Amino acid sequence: FLVYADWGDIPKEDDFLNVDLLWPKMGLHPSVPKRVSNIYSEASRIKRNAPNAFATQIRRALEAVTDDRNAKPGSLVQRLKELSHRGEIPPTLAEVSDTLRILGNIGAHASETNIEPWQVHSIDEFFRAIVEYIYVAPSKLAEFRKTLRNNSGNTKNEV
């Protein structure tokens, strides 16, 4: 099954560009940089079969986010803290990003501790929350404001 949502703004019945695929969740929103999206796509293909590799790929995707947001070179923990200090990641998501970083380290190293299959869903949701905050929500807000201006004649300051 595929479940789509029509939020009432589709101009034509056959125009699926403006619908949202609700289930199954696949890929990332187009506002997410291609490099981040490509790493996530690769991770998604292995998440059920290789939890350690999935966590490591999500860590790589976090690194790509810090690159995209122009964090200063350094360790991933330093780069994520920089994004938090700049206000690009709020405190709760900063904690989430650090958790993902740690889980990625666990997945990348041969130790007694492994990423368990039951953790994969949370890792995926946590990463999507970060991406939603940094890229998707601002993009959707800008699009919504544009639509409001176009439909109501409001100026930028009014919306």
Side-chain angles (χ1 to χ4, degrees), residues 40 44 47 54 58 100 119-129:
Y40 178 80
S44 293
K47 74 180 183 180
F54 176 72
I58 293 299
L100 291 176
Q119 296 170 307
V120 168
H121 179 72
S122 293
I123 292 169
D124 194 24
E125 281 189 329
F126 288 158
F127 180 73
R128 284 178 164 278

Side-chain angles (χ1 to χ4, degrees), residues 2 8 12 21-22 27 30 37 39 41-42 45 61-62 72 77 83 98 101 107 125 134 138 154 159:
L2 298 176
K12 299 175 191 161
L21 177 62
L22 298 180
S37 194
I39 294 169
S41 177
E42 185 176 316
R45 290 193 296 272
L62 276 178
K72 295 175 189 159
V77 69
L83 294 184
D98 196 53
R101 178 190 63 79
E125 281 189 329
I134 294 174
N154 287 337
V159 180

Side-chain angles (χ1 to χ4, degrees), residues 125-150:
E125 281 189 329
F126 288 158
F127 180 73
R128 284 178 164 278
I130 292 167
V131 167
E132 180 78 26
Y133 185 86
I134 294 174
Y135 300 109
V136 180
S139 172
K140 286 182 176 183
L141 179 59
E143 187 62 35
F144 183 69
R145 286 179 172 162
K146 180 180 170 186
T147 302
L148 283 177
R149 281 193 301 274
N150 291 342

Side-chain angles (χ1 to χ4, degrees), residues 13-25:
E13 287 181 24
D14 61 344
D15 186 3
F16 278 113
L17 295 176
N18 294 319
V19 298
D20 291 326
L21 177 62
L22 298 180
W23 192 87
K25 275 285 192 207

